[in-house]
Amino acid sequence: MRFTPRVPGRARRSPAAPGGSGEQGAGAGRFARLAVALRTPAGPGEPLLARAPSRWQRLLPFAVAGVFVVVLLPVTIAVLTNDYRLGGGWAGALGVAQTVPLLLAVTRPVPAWAAVLAADVAGAVLLGSAGGVVGRPWPWPPMEIVGYLVLMVCLGLREPVRTLVGVWLATGAAGVVLGFAAPDGVTNTAALLFVLGGVVLALTGALRGLGDARQRIAEQESISGAERARRTLLEERARIARELHDVVAHHMSVITVQADSAPYRLPGMEEPVREEFAAIAASARESLGEMRRLLTVLRGDGAEGGGAAAGGGERAPQPGVGRIQQLVEATVRAGQPVELSLASGVARAARADPAVDLSAYRIVQEALANVVRHAPGARVRVSVTHSGGDGDGPGEVLVLVVNGPAPEPVVALEGGGPGTGHGLVGMRERVRLTGGTLDTGPLPEGGFRVAARLPLTSRTEDSS
C-alpha cells in the first residue's frame, strides 16, 4: 500500500511567463513527443504516426506528402518538358506517376515504392531518346531523386530490415541495368541515388528499430509486473494458509480427542457406536496428517531437517486481537505515535472465530508497518470494536487504522516496519477469507485509512 501524504512547505512551480522559457519548453516538449511518435511502430495498414497522441501529429505525414506532391508535380513536368525536351503528354504522365504515389506511401509504402520505381525506370527509358538528355543527369533526374528519398523515409519508418535491404538492392540493380543503355554525354546518377537511398534507409530503419526495442522492453516490463503481482498474491495466500494450519489443526485435534475418549466418558456404549467414534477419530487423524504434509510443501524452508530455528517458529502460537495492545506498545517504543482504542470484550468475541482473530491482528500489523515505512512520525489511531452478537447473530469485528500526513518529507523504505506480508494484497486476502469487506484509500487532508469488517461466523461452547 502506498501513502501519498501532503508535505508542508513544498514550493509550487509558478507558471512560466509568456514568451519566456515556458514557450521554449513547450516547443521542446512538442518536438520530443514527435520524436517518440516517429519511433513508435505502426501496425499493418496504419498510416505513419497513427499512434501519436496529438491529432496534428497524426495528420502531419499526409500534410508533408501533400506538400511534396504539390511542389514536385509541376517541377517534374516543367523540367521534363523544357530541359529534357520530352513531349508534354509524356511529361505529364510521368510527373503524375512519379509523384502522386507519395500520398499512398503514408499508409502503403511498399506498393507506392513499386509504382514510383516502375515510373522512374519508364521515365529513364523515355529520356534516353529525348533530345535534351545530353549533359544532364540520367537515369534519375534531380526531382526524381528528391521524391524517391521521401519514399525511402516512409519505407524506413514502417518496414522491417529485410524489406529495406530488398528495396535498396532493387534500386541499385535498376540503376546498373539502365547503365548498360546509358546515352552518350549524360551524368550518371545511379550511384548517387543508391548511396543516398542507403543512408536514408539506414537512418530511418535505425530509428524504427529503436522504437521496436523500446516497445518490446515495455511489453516485457508489463509482463514482469503482472508476474510479480501474481507471485505476490500466491506468496501471501501460502503464508495465510500456513498460519491457518494451526487454527484448523486445533479443531481437528479436539475432534480426535473427543472421538477417542467418547467410549470412556460414556460407558455402556454399543459396539456399532464405538466403531463409529473410532472411524471419526481415524478420519480426523488422517486429515491432520494430510495437513502436515501440505504445510511442509507450502513452507519449503527445509523443515525436514528439524532445525531448532525452523521448529521454534512453527511451535509459536498464532497472535490475535488480545496481542494488538502489545503490538501498539512496540510501535510506540519505536518512535511512532499511536493511539489505541480496544473495546472491552472484543478479544473474547474474536477468539470465538480463530480466522477472524488472526486476520484482525495481521491487518493492524500490516497497517502499522506501512505507516512506519511510508509516513514515519505521523499520528496513528487504531480502533478495534465488536458489533452485533447475542440475539443479532455472532456479530462482527471492526478494525480501523487511520494515520495523518508525515510531518516531514520522507523516502519510502522497503522492508521497514513490523509487517510480515505484502500490504494491501495480504489485507484483501485475509478479509476475503473471512467473508468481510475492506475499505482503503488516502484521506483528503493527507494520510491513509484502512477499515476492515470481519464477520464472526461461529462460536464455540466451553465444555466441562
Side-chain angles (χ1 to χ4, degrees):
M1 120 180 146
R2 297 295 178 189
F3 291 84
T4 55
R6 294 181 180 176
V7 179
R10 178 174 293 177
R12 296 182 178 178
R13 290 188 298 178
S14 59
S21 59
E23 293 184 356
Q24 296 176 359
R30 294 191 190 98
F31 281 113
R33 289 192 294 270
L34 181 59
V36 172
L38 280 174
R39 61 175 180 258
T40 300
E46 290 183 349
L48 286 172
L49 307 184
R51 302 182 185 182
S54 302
R55 186 171 182 270
W56 72 268
Q57 292 178 350
R58 294 191 292 271
L59 295 178
L60 183 62
F62 296 97
V64 172
V67 169
F68 274 101
V69 170
V70 170
V71 173
L72 289 177
L73 180 57
V75 171
T76 300
I77 296 175
V79 170
L80 294 180
T81 303
N82 299 330
D83 296 346
Y84 288 85
R85 299 178 186 176
L86 192 65
W90 285 113
L94 286 176
V96 172
Q98 293 171 352
T99 58
V100 172
L102 294 179
L103 296 173
L104 179 63
V106 177
T107 55
R108 297 286 191 277
V110 174
W113 165 77
V116 170
L117 181 62
D120 289 349
V121 171
V125 173
L126 291 175
L127 292 179
S129 59
V133 72
V134 178
R136 302 195 179 278
W138 187 92
W140 320 122
M143 59 282 186
E144 292 183 9
I145 294 178
V146 173
Y148 203 85
L149 293 180
V150 173
L151 189 60
M152 295 295 99
V153 172
C154 297
L155 281 166
L157 293 175
R158 285 293 304 275
E159 301 302 323
V161 175
R162 180 178 300 180
T163 301
L164 301 184
V165 172
V167 166
W168 185 53
L169 294 178
T171 302
V176 170
V177 171
L178 289 173
F180 290 109
D184 296 333
V186 298
T187 302
N188 196 308
T189 56
L192 176 63
L193 181 60
F194 184 69
V195 173
L196 291 179
V199 171
V200 172
L201 289 176
L203 293 177
T204 53
L207 186 62
R208 182 184 186 277
L210 177 62
D212 288 339
R214 294 197 174 191
Q215 185 179 44
R216 287 192 294 270
I217 292 174
E219 291 174 354
Q220 289 299 324
E221 289 178 349
S222 176
I223 294 173
S224 299
E227 287 297 326
R228 282 194 299 270
R230 180 175 177 272
R231 185 171 63 250
T232 298
L233 180 61
L234 293 178
E235 290 175 355
E236 190 65 19
R237 288 180 176 178
R239 189 172 68 87
I240 294 173
R242 292 195 299 267
E243 292 180 349
L244 289 181
H245 163 267
D246 294 340
V247 175
V248 180
H250 167 72
H251 293 293
M252 297 300 296
S253 299
V254 171
I255 293 174
T256 304
V257 171
Q258 289 178 339
D260 280 333
S261 62
Y264 304 98
R265 291 183 292 105
L266 303 173
M269 188 180 297
E270 297 182 359
E271 188 61 27
V273 179
R274 289 175 177 268
E275 294 177 356
E276 185 70 21
F277 276 111
I280 293 173
S283 298
R285 280 191 291 270
E286 182 179 357
S287 299
L288 279 173
E290 292 292 339
M291 287 177 57
R292 291 192 183 98
R293 285 190 288 271
L294 175 61
L295 184 65
T296 301
V297 174
L298 288 175
R299 283 199 173 106
D301 55 1
E304 295 178 358
E314 295 173 9
R315 298 188 184 97
Q318 294 295 344
V321 174
R323 292 180 56 183
I324 289 180
Q325 184 171 357
Q326 301 176 16
L327 175 65
V328 170
E329 291 174 354
T331 306
V332 172
R333 286 195 299 269
Q336 189 77 36
V338 182
E339 176 186 346
L340 174 63
S341 174
L342 190 62
S344 61
V346 66
R348 183 176 65 255
R351 280 198 300 271
D353 192 330
V356 170
D357 197 26
L358 175 61
S359 297
Y361 177 87
R362 292 302 188 194
I363 289 173
V364 174
Q365 185 183 33
E366 293 296 344
L368 291 178
N370 282 313
V371 175
V372 173
R373 186 180 299 118
H374 301 290
R379 302 196 63 85
V380 187
R381 181 167 55 88
V382 178
S383 173
V384 183
T385 59
H386 173 239
S387 65
D390 298 331
D392 299 330
E396 57 189 13
V397 174
L398 306 176
V399 179
L400 178 65
V401 182
V402 179
N403 70 275
E408 295 181 359
V410 295
V411 178
L413 300 176
E414 296 298 331
T420 59
H422 296 91
L424 288 181
V425 176
M427 294 182 193
R428 291 194 185 99
E429 286 301 306
R430 292 184 184 279
V431 170
R432 188 180 66 86
L433 174 70
T434 61
T437 59
L438 179 68
D439 180 23
T440 63
L443 299 176
E445 65 276 8
F448 207 84
R449 174 178 181 268
V450 174
R453 183 184 63 83
L454 308 174
L456 297 168
T457 57
S458 64
R459 286 183 179 270
T460 58
E461 299 292 340
D462 296 335
S463 59
S464 56

